[in-house]
């Protein structure tokens, strides 16, 4: 068997596995069609008339704007309990004081002194809790796909409708400063920008100090309508030290001083939003769906009264995507086309002097606009693809039609309809929450095509005759040793356990603007065991020779005639060729044995990834699917790709060495013959 043919055949088998992994990934992980439709003021979200008569006024669109300016402060990894007071009371337990508690004291002070002007919410984040995905959610109101986590360090421009697009289309001046991830997500969208590199998690101050250098002068200059500041120090401090380190207390105190400075400079027409994109674990990492990772802080404040009542004792829990339609309507913008979030109705109730009926009607108007937009998105999306569940979609559309009809009747006959108004609000909220739940559930499906390709690859015959045969037990043990080494070196198949510090080995000062080198270093650290064992797998062919005893062996030889039989004994000791010299007796068998070994190793690896795929598909509705099963599949798939490439390299290297030894052996034989 030709050596090139062996490599080509193994590469073809690897391609079958790659295709199967790609099919399963597209069929299981949260996947959806990204629509390029955009909302506009000229096209209302539904056939019904808009709720106000302000459509033609400056700053108004679907709804009259309540604010002309917004300051959005995004503190990366601002976990909800970071905004809690100094002493946290847990029922049945003594008070607990932690280093990170009470450092954002300005938030609590504002809530106590101006209760009608501010609110603190617990923002519920959709997993995975990676920064790039959270930025997509915070600007589009949609649910980014799970596989986007792999693009967290190589972000691509957002093509879906989003708040930044709506702001620039409306002629608003958007100024940004902070994490340079925004540069790739929204290229050319900012009227002024100050970008700072974000990957060096050991640097706690460069990004934050750079923002503070420009933040207050930019605010005082007034050349902006929306000001976005994305601070990274809290997130980097979590990665480097963890949340319980004194450095975290210092960093949160710095953020508190920054918020105080902003509050002092706010004007009456400006809304301040302080938000965390995600939380962090007890070790300071993030990426999964634990309670600490998906719980972020969200704080809203305005110099003018925002709310009709004082804050509740326990902060309200709101989905993170709810911020998108809320900000859009408060600024007089269209809600982004693909939003599935629900407006925060409390912000549309007026101030404390508003009448209960007028407050409820304002809430219903905002919810109806929101529901029209979501209904339009579901109709457009279902016409473009068949991802959504048909029966559930029909039920939701019927619910929306009923709620919309009740709302229109209410507008025509408003007398004595306060109870009906509350029922309409409940129906609209039920529709919006049901639509979001349906999208989350429908965008996780399993494709059987992976099984078909996997069975095709696994059904390839892998038994070949010849003297070189590695038993299945040895191949399986070799593959399991690679997995054992992965765990024994401190790795786990979950995103928070990735050894990010490996990116700075040999580069303690960082890598500048490069993302490929640190990504390569992290990948090499994570999958080193897969690569090393795959490259060394062909050496298993030589193991039987190493186990042989050295020295002469007795071998029975049949005499050729009677005279030779009288002269020679029946048995004599002869020297048999040992170890690699035996390869020269059957070089074609050696190539076939390499093919057999390669197929066996790929089969064992394929069984592992098939088991992960089956577990993920069977348990795709399990609560832990995005914390355990989906990350395990992603790590196993990446490990398979690394192992298969390493196996091909190892076999090619062994063939190259075998060719060199064969050439040297032929020269030696010719020299002896001469």
């Amino acid at each position: 068997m030709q050596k090139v043919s062996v490599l080509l055949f193994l590469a073809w088998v690897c391609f079958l596995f790659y295709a199967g992994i790609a099919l399963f990934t597209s069929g299981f992980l949260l996947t959806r069609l990204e629509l390029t439709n955009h909302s506009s003021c000229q096209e209302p979200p539904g056939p019904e008339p808009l709720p106000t008569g302000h459509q033609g006024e400056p700053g108004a669109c679907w709804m009259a704007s309540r604010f002309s300016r917004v300051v959005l402060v995004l503190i990366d990894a601002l976990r909800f309990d970071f905004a809690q007071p100094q002493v946290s009371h847990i029922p049945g337990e003594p008070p607990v004081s932690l280093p990170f508690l009470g450092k954002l004291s300005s938030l609590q002070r504002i809530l106590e002194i101006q209760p009608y002007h501010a609110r603190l919410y617990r923002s519920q984040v959709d997993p995975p809790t990676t920064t790039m995905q959270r930025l997509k959610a915070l600007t589009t109101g949609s649910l980014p796909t799970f596989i986007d986590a792999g693009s967290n360090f190589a972000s691509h421009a957002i093509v879906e409708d989003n708040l930044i697009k709506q702001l620039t289309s409306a002629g608003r001046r958007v100024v940004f400063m902070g994490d340079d991830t925004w540069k790739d997500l929204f290229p050319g969208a900012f009227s002024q920008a100050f970008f700072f590199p974000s990957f060096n998690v050991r640097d706690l101050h460069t990004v934050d100090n750079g923002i503070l250098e420009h933040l207050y002068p930019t605010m005082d200059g007034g050349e902006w309508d929306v000001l976005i500041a994305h601070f990274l120090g809290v997130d980097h401090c979590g990665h480097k030290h963890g949340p319980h380190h004194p450095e975290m207390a210092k960093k949160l105190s710095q953020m508190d001083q920054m918020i105080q400075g902003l509050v002092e400079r706010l004007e009456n027409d400006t809304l301040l939003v302080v938000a965390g994109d995600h939380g962090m674990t007890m070790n300071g990492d993030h990426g999964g769906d634990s309670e600490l990772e998906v719980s972020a802080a969200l704080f809203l404040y305005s110099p003018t009264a925002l709310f009709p009542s004082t804050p509740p004792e326990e902060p309200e829990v709101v989905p993170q995507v709810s911020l998108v339609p809320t900000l859009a309507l408060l600024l007089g913008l269209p809600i982004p086309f693909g939003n599935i979030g629900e407006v925060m109705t409390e912000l549309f109730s007026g101030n404390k002097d508003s009448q209960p009926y007028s407050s409820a009607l304002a809430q219903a108007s905002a919810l109806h606009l929101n529901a029209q937009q979501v209904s339009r998105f579901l109709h457009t999306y279902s016409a473009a693809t068949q991802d959504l569940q048909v029966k559930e979609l029909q039920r939701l559309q019927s619910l929306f039609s009923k709620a919309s009809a009740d709302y229109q009747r209410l507008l025509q006959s408003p007398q004595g309809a306060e109870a009906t108004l509350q029922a309409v609000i409940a129906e609209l909220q039920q529709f919006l929450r049901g639509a979001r739940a349906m999208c989350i559930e429908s965008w996780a499906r399993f494709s059987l095509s992976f099984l078909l390709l996997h069975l095709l690859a696994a059904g390839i015959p892998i038994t070949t005759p010849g003297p070189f045969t590695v038993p299945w037990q040895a191949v399986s043990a070799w593959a399991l040793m690679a997995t054992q080494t992965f765990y024994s070196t401190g790795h786990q198949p979950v995103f928070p356990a990735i050894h990010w510090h490996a990116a700075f080995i040999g580069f303690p000062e960082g890598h500048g603007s490069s993302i490929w080198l640190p990504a390569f270093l992290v990948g090499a650290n994570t999958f080193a065991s897969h690569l090393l064992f795959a490259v060394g797998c062909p050496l298993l062919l030589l193991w039987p020779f190493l186990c042989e005893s050295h020295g002469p062996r007795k071998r029975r030889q049949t005499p050729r005639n009677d005279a030779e039989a009288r002269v020679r004994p029946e048995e004599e000791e002869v020297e048999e060729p040992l170890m690699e010299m035996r390869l020269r007796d059957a070089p074609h068998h050696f190539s076939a044995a390499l093919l057999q070994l390669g197929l066996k190793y790929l089969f064992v690896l394929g069984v592992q990834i098939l088991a992960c795929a089956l577990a993920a598909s069977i348990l795709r509705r399990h609560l832990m699917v995005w914390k355990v099963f989906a990350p395990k599949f992603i790590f196993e798939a990446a490990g398979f790709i690394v192992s298969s490439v390493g196996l091909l390299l190892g076999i090619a290297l062994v063939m190259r060495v075998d060719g060199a030894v064969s050439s040297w052996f032929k020269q030696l034989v010719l020299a002896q013959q001469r």
Side-chain angles (χ1 to χ4, degrees):
M1 181 175 292
Q2 296 295 324
K3 298 177 180 179
V4 176
S5 301
V6 171
L7 289 175
L8 290 177
F9 186 77
L10 287 175
W12 177 74
V13 174
C14 291
F15 171 78
L16 288 180
F17 280 105
Y18 297 161
I21 291 172
L23 283 174
F24 180 84
T25 300
S26 63
F28 168 72
L29 296 179
L30 288 179
T31 56
R32 60 183 176 84
L33 177 67
E34 292 188 345
L35 301 178
T36 57
N37 305 59
H38 288 77
S39 300
S40 66
C41 292
Q42 292 73 28
E43 184 181 356
E48 293 84 2
L50 294 173
T52 67
H54 302 282
Q55 185 178 5
E57 295 183 5
C61 187
W62 294 357
M63 177 177 281
S65 62
R66 189 172 180 182
F67 296 97
S68 59
R69 287 182 168 186
V70 167
V71 177
L72 173 58
V73 177
L74 196 63
I75 302 178
D76 209 291
L78 183 64
R79 205 167 70 190
F80 174 74
D81 56 351
F82 289 177
Q84 294 292 89
Q86 175 64 37
V87 179
S88 176
H89 293 281
I90 302 176
E93 296 183 9
V96 177
S97 179
L98 298 172
F100 53 78
L101 292 177
K103 302 308 175 185
L104 297 178
S105 57
S106 61
L107 303 186
Q108 296 298 325
R109 185 167 57 253
I110 293 172
L111 289 171
E112 294 173 359
I113 298 176
Q114 298 178 289
Y116 296 98
H117 296 244
R119 278 292 187 277
L120 176 65
Y121 297 94
R122 182 192 292 267
S123 179
Q124 193 72 19
V125 177
D126 293 308
T129 49
T130 52
T131 295
M132 187 271 292
Q133 285 186 295
R134 296 302 95 226
L135 294 183
K136 285 188 174 182
L138 283 167
T139 54
T140 65
S142 62
L143 186 67
T145 59
F146 187 90
I147 201 63
D148 280 343
S151 304
N152 196 41
F153 309 112
S155 308
H156 301 286
I158 295 178
V159 298
E160 291 183 286
D161 196 8
N162 57 80
L163 278 178
I164 306 301
K165 173 68 175 178
Q166 291 294 339
L167 286 166
T168 55
S169 298
R172 308 289 181 91
R173 297 164 297 178
V174 183
V175 177
F176 176 83
M177 51 191 70
D179 187 349
D180 60 355
T181 302
W182 292 72
K183 181 180 181 181
D184 298 322
L185 294 177
F186 307 101
F190 304 112
S191 60
Q192 190 178 13
F194 305 94
F195 297 112
F196 301 95
S198 60
F199 190 76
N200 189 356
V201 296
R202 297 195 176 196
D203 185 355
L204 309 185
H205 306 294
T206 299
V207 177
D208 292 0
N209 292 342
I211 295 174
L212 293 175
E213 181 183 349
H214 300 283
L215 181 59
Y216 301 134
T218 301
M219 280 196 70
D220 297 337
E223 297 296 323
W224 58 276
D225 296 305
V226 175
L227 177 59
I228 304 173
H230 187 168
F231 291 87
L232 292 176
V234 172
D235 178 71
H236 288 187
C237 184
H239 285 298
K240 185 177 182 180
H241 301 293
H244 297 87
H245 196 275
E247 284 295 330
M248 181 63 76
K250 295 180 181 179
K251 182 53 65 174
L252 290 173
S253 298
Q254 183 187 32
M255 295 296 99
D256 186 64
Q257 295 176 6
M258 175 269 300
I259 294 173
Q260 292 183 40
L262 290 177
V263 170
E264 295 171 358
R265 290 171 169 81
L266 288 180
E267 299 180 356
N268 290 337
D269 63 344
T270 305
L271 174 67
L272 172 64
V273 180
V274 180
D277 58 342
H278 52 74
M280 65 173 65
T281 65
M282 297 297 291
N283 297 325
D285 297 317
H286 58 89
D289 66 345
S290 67
E291 181 62 29
L292 293 177
E293 291 172 276
V294 301
S295 181
L298 174 62
F299 178 79
L300 304 179
Y301 170 78
S302 174
T304 57
L306 273 175
F307 305 97
S309 60
T310 58
E313 291 186 8
E314 288 296 326
E316 181 184 353
V317 179
V318 297
Q320 188 182 58
V321 292
S322 296
L323 186 62
V324 174
T326 302
L327 286 180
L329 294 183
L330 288 176
L331 290 171
L333 299 171
I335 300 176
F337 190 89
N339 165 74
I340 59 173
E342 173 191 344
V343 291
M344 301 160 63
T345 54
E346 200 176 18
L347 286 159
F348 299 90
S349 303
N351 53 37
K352 61 181 179 179
D353 299 325
S354 300
Q355 297 297 320
Y357 179 81
S358 61
S359 296
L361 184 60
Q363 292 181 14
S365 299
L367 282 170
H368 187 245
L369 278 173
N370 189 187
Q372 284 182 305
Q373 169 264 316
V374 173
S375 176
R376 181 182 64 177
F377 166 71
L378 294 179
H379 177 75
T380 306
Y381 188 90
S382 60
T385 182
Q386 304 300 318
D387 286 354
L388 302 179
Q389 303 173 24
V390 178
K391 291 184 178 180
E392 181 65 12
L393 183 62
Q394 293 174 350
R395 186 190 72 82
L396 289 173
Q397 292 293 4
S398 299
L399 178 62
F400 169 71
S401 299
K402 180 181 182 302
S404 183
D406 293 343
Y407 174 74
Q408 294 300 326
R409 283 195 298 269
L410 192 65
L411 293 179
Q412 296 173 3
S413 304
Q415 291 79 13
E418 188 170 345
T420 307
L421 186 57
Q422 294 298 329
V424 169
I425 290 176
E427 289 176 344
L428 291 171
Q429 289 177 330
Q430 184 182 357
F431 165 75
L432 289 168
R433 294 167 188 176
R436 180 172 176 268
M438 179 190 64
C439 290
I440 293 175
E441 183 177 3
S442 298
W443 292 332
R445 290 189 174 180
F446 175 58
S447 173
L448 289 177
S449 302
F450 171 78
L451 287 178
L452 297 178
L453 274 180
H454 190 98
L455 291 175
L456 175 61
I460 296 172
I462 54 177
T463 57
T464 58
F468 314 106
T469 301
V470 181
W472 278 101
Q473 296 89 335
V475 179
S476 301
W478 192 259
L480 292 177
M481 285 176 62
T483 303
Q484 191 273 339
T485 305
F486 174 81
Y487 287 100
S488 65
T489 51
H491 297 91
Q492 296 182 35
V494 290
F495 294 113
I498 294 177
H499 294 183
W500 300 112
H501 60 83
F504 304 97
I505 295 178
F507 301 89
E509 303 300 326
H511 310 274
S513 59
S514 173
I515 61 174
W516 298 110
L517 180 57
F520 171 78
L521 292 175
V522 172
N525 177 273
T526 304
F527 298 104
S529 61
H530 297 76
L531 182 63
L532 293 176
F533 277 86
V535 172
C537 182
L539 299 179
L540 290 176
L541 286 176
L542 303 179
W543 178 252
F545 305 129
L546 296 176
C547 296
E548 291 179 349
S549 59
H550 296 271
R553 295 184 179 184
K554 291 185 177 181
R555 185 173 65 183
R556 183 182 182 88
Q557 291 186 344
T558 304
R560 288 174 291 185
N561 49 53
D562 295 340
E564 184 176 349
R566 289 192 299 269
V567 174
R568 300 183 56 180
E570 185 177 356
E571 292 184 355
E572 66 176 4
E573 291 184 345
V574 296
E575 187 76 24
E576 287 189 356
L578 297 177
M579 299 185 66
E580 66 273 8
M581 290 299 102
R582 291 179 60 186
L583 303 179
R584 311 280 64 80
D585 296 337
H588 58 287
H589 286 317
F590 181 65
S591 297
L594 279 176
L595 174 62
Q596 180 190 39
L597 177 60
L599 291 174
K600 284 183 177 181
Y601 195 69
L602 289 176
F603 180 84
V604 173
L605 296 177
V607 169
Q608 292 179 350
I609 193 172
L610 178 61
C612 291
L614 289 175
S617 60
I618 294 172
L619 301 171
R620 63 188 180 277
R621 306 297 182 220
H622 194 277
L623 182 64
M624 305 291 285
V625 63
W626 303 121
K627 184 175 183 179
V628 177
F629 304 113
K632 172 63 174 175
F633 168 74
I634 291 178
F635 273 80
E636 201 68 45
F640 177 86
I641 294 174
V642 171
S643 297
S644 60
V645 173
L647 179 66
L648 293 176
L649 291 175
I651 290 178
L653 179 61
V654 168
M655 287 183 171
R656 178 69 181 88
V657 173
D658 179 62
V661 172
S662 298
S663 176
W664 170 79
F665 188 77
K666 291 179 180 179
Q667 295 177 2
L668 184 62
V669 171
L670 291 176
Q672 289 180 344
Q673 290 177 352
R674 288 196 297 266

